[in-house]
Amino acid sequence: MTYGNSLRESILNSVQNTALQQGANILITLHCILTLTIVFNPLNQEAEEIFSVPHHFCWQRVLVRTGVMLTVVFVAESVPSFGPVLGLVGSSTLTLTALIFPCLFYLYLTVGDEIAEEKGKKKPDEIPSLAEVLLRSPRRRLIICSLIIVSGLIGGCLATYTSLKELATTRFTAPCYIQPFVSSTDSKGSDGYLNCCGVWQNISRLGDNSDCNPYLDFYSGK
């Protein structure tokens, strides 16, 4: 409530203390660097399988993993305002992976295990049909999972619509590798300013409002 509508997708640009702001940036950078190895490991291994890279340290592995990292950096630099894109990905995929798919998998797996047990097998050898899932699942379990799935679908659709609307109205800045070739009077972009307080977002504890963000229509049309 203190920052009002000057608060954007990141609170860091609203923190009017350089030491705290840079300290938070350093900690976030360290966090990203240390987690990249874990997060990118499945992607790297999949890329190594595609290119038939040997399963030991070699120049092919270095080349593939360097290429993956450069691709990720290129995508990150190509979308400087990543908040709206992240919101779209989260609203569309997170709903599926957190609510809808777990319930569906649970229903199908439990029914598949029951069918396999009836046939005297340890593991199901085929996926049960939708009719079998509806007929064999206990009513209480089916109702609870159905409510979760329906709620997830409604919430996911609404969140995706909101994210698409935000994505259509957000002001994007040109990537750093394009800015030298584009004539622009504003070299900072919206992310290079300080999100100041006040009704007109021009109040700064530093006493100088020249660094205040001039783009005041961040929430317009939302």
Side-chain angles (χ1 to χ4, degrees):
M1 297 300 292
T2 301
Y3 294 103
N5 62 354
S6 66
L7 187 63
R8 310 295 171 88
E9 67 269 8
S10 175
I11 197 175
L12 291 179
N13 289 343
S14 297
V15 178
Q16 299 183 19
N17 186 306
T18 305
L20 291 177
Q21 192 179 73
Q22 296 303 323
N25 286 329
I26 292 173
L27 292 176
I28 292 174
T29 303
L30 290 176
H31 167 73
C32 292
I33 292 175
L34 295 175
T35 55
L36 283 179
T37 305
I38 300 175
V39 175
F40 286 170
N41 190 51
L43 180 62
N44 289 329
Q45 290 185 355
E46 186 66 24
E48 291 171 0
E49 288 292 332
I50 294 175
F51 292 102
S52 301
V53 176
H55 295 284
H56 57 81
F57 183 78
C58 56
W59 66 268
Q60 294 97 326
R61 172 168 288 187
V62 174
L63 184 62
V64 169
R65 298 203 173 204
T66 302
V68 171
M69 179 60 66
L70 291 177
T71 303
V72 172
V73 172
F74 175 77
V75 173
E77 292 295 338
S78 299
V79 189
S81 301
F82 203 68
V85 178
L86 188 62
L88 176 62
V89 174
S91 61
S92 58
T93 61
L94 193 61
T95 305
L96 294 174
T97 56
L99 295 175
I100 299 176
F101 285 161
C103 292
L104 288 176
F105 294 161
Y106 174 66
L107 291 174
Y108 274 85
L109 288 174
T110 52
V111 172
D113 290 339
E114 292 177 2
I115 296 176
E117 186 176 353
E118 292 176 358
K119 295 180 179 180
K121 299 180 180 179
K122 294 183 178 180
K123 296 181 180 180
D125 53 358
E126 59 182 10
I127 301 175
S129 63
L130 178 61
E132 290 177 328
V133 172
L134 296 177
L135 292 175
R136 288 176 171 269
S137 297
R139 180 171 298 180
R140 181 180 178 183
R141 180 194 303 167
L142 191 61
I143 292 175
I144 293 175
C145 290
S146 298
L147 289 176
I148 295 175
I149 292 173
V150 172
S151 301
L153 284 174
I154 295 175
C157 291
L158 293 176
T160 302
Y161 170 76
T162 304
S163 300
L164 288 173
K165 186 177 180 181
E166 180 182 359
L167 191 64
T169 57
T170 298
R171 181 183 183 276
F172 286 97
T173 57
C176 60
Y177 53 83
I178 294 181
Q179 288 181 0
F181 307 100
V182 178
S183 58
S184 175
T185 57
D186 183 11
S187 59
K188 285 186 176 182
S190 60
D191 293 332
Y193 291 100
L194 184 68
N195 297 331
C196 299
C197 302
V199 178
W200 304 107
Q201 300 180 19
N202 59 353
I203 300 176
S204 171
R205 65 182 295 272
L206 304 176
D208 182 13
N209 61 0
S210 61
D211 287 333
C212 292
N213 198 333
Y215 306 106
L216 307 181
D217 57 347
F218 181 79
Y219 291 103
S220 63
K222 298 181 182 180

